[in-house]
Amino acid sequence: MEAAISGSPQLEQDDFRVIWDRWDGLEPEPVATAMVEANEACVRRFETLDEETVRDLRLPFFGGGEIDVRGSVAMRLNEHALHAWDAAVTFDPAATIAPGSVEPLLWNLIDQEWIVARSADAEAVAALAAKLGDRPLLVGTTDPEWWLALDLAGDQPRLRRVDAAGEPHLTIPGEAFVRMVYGRLDPGHTPAGIEVAEPLTIQELRSAFKGY
């Protein structure tokens, strides 16, 4: 971000390796302390950006191309929330994504279209689309109570928020839906109360999103 603001050259892969090696060399407790401090410093830096910078600044994207400031903040939330769950679930199989993160994560799935597209398995998505006759997959979430339409036909799947309409194909807690899209809803970490309307099955929905 600092390089993008100043117009300086961006870090190269060898620069990243030096940073990773420094962190990898720390013991667990210093890593935990330093991570919190580094994250707070990053948040403070984001908060100093004026409206013009937030609107116009573009940052390099790890998959290629560029991303705006909002997208960069969204990416950091995604990383923190999902990887915090990855850590928590090793100690508690019933762990969930932090409740305060769920609604922003759902908005990120809608606004950052590449997330759903990148996680999707093309063959499994095509099989779901065929079963639905190219109609959207309707999702009713709880906590928050949202209706979503997952468009499976076309060049890539896309998620959008819609008004309540008929019976959903999938009824699921919001945090579990986020984990499903990220490939983290395996049978050992699937909460009770999820309902899937025939002819679909929960395993087909899991297979449609391989995660990353």
Side-chain angles (χ1 to χ4, degrees):
M1 181 167 65
E2 297 297 351
I5 291 171
S6 66
S8 303
Q10 287 293 332
L11 297 179
E12 301 290 343
Q13 192 70 14
D14 288 344
D15 299 315
F16 288 129
R17 291 193 178 96
V18 172
I19 296 169
W20 294 333
D21 287 345
R22 176 169 59 83
W23 282 86
D24 289 344
L26 295 175
E27 294 296 320
E29 287 191 11
V31 163
T33 300
M35 186 278 289
V36 172
E37 292 172 350
N39 185 64
E40 289 177 346
C42 183
V43 171
R44 288 195 301 271
R45 186 65 177 99
F46 274 123
E47 290 175 338
T48 67
L49 301 180
D50 58 38
E51 292 183 8
E52 182 179 3
T53 302
V54 171
R55 183 187 68 236
D56 297 337
L57 189 67
R58 296 296 179 269
L59 308 174
F61 187 48
F62 69 88
E66 295 180 328
I67 193 169
D68 62 11
V69 171
R70 186 192 182 287
S72 181
V73 173
M75 278 290 299
R76 287 188 63 79
L77 174 62
N78 297 345
E79 291 286 303
H80 279 281
L82 271 297
H83 290 315
W85 181 85
D86 291 337
V89 78
T90 63
F91 302 99
D92 177 12
T96 60
I97 294 173
S101 301
V102 175
E103 190 164 332
L105 289 172
L106 288 171
W107 278 119
N108 287 349
L109 292 178
I110 295 170
D111 294 339
Q112 308 295 317
E113 294 183 352
W114 65 269
I115 298 174
V116 175
R118 186 178 180 194
S119 181
D121 179 275
E123 186 175 338
V125 167
L128 278 178
K131 269 196 171 185
L132 293 171
D134 291 333
R135 291 173 296 145
L137 173 72
L138 293 178
V139 181
T141 67
T142 57
D143 299 321
E145 293 186 0
W146 281 21
W147 274 76
L148 300 165
L150 186 57
D151 297 310
L152 301 173
D155 58 337
Q156 65 181 35
R158 289 179 172 82
L159 187 68
R160 52 193 170 90
R161 191 174 179 184
V162 296
D163 295 328
E167 293 294 324
H169 298 105
L170 172 65
T171 303
I172 186 171
E175 75 86 26
F177 178 74
V178 171
R179 288 195 287 111
M180 187 188 84
V181 173
Y182 277 94
R184 288 167 164 82
L185 195 70
D186 60 279
H189 302 99
T190 299
I194 293 177
E195 298 178 6
V196 182
E198 294 182 351
L200 305 182
T201 68
I202 187 63
Q203 185 53 43
E204 287 176 313
L205 296 173
R206 290 189 186 109
S207 299
F209 297 99
K210 59 184 183 297
Y212 58 90

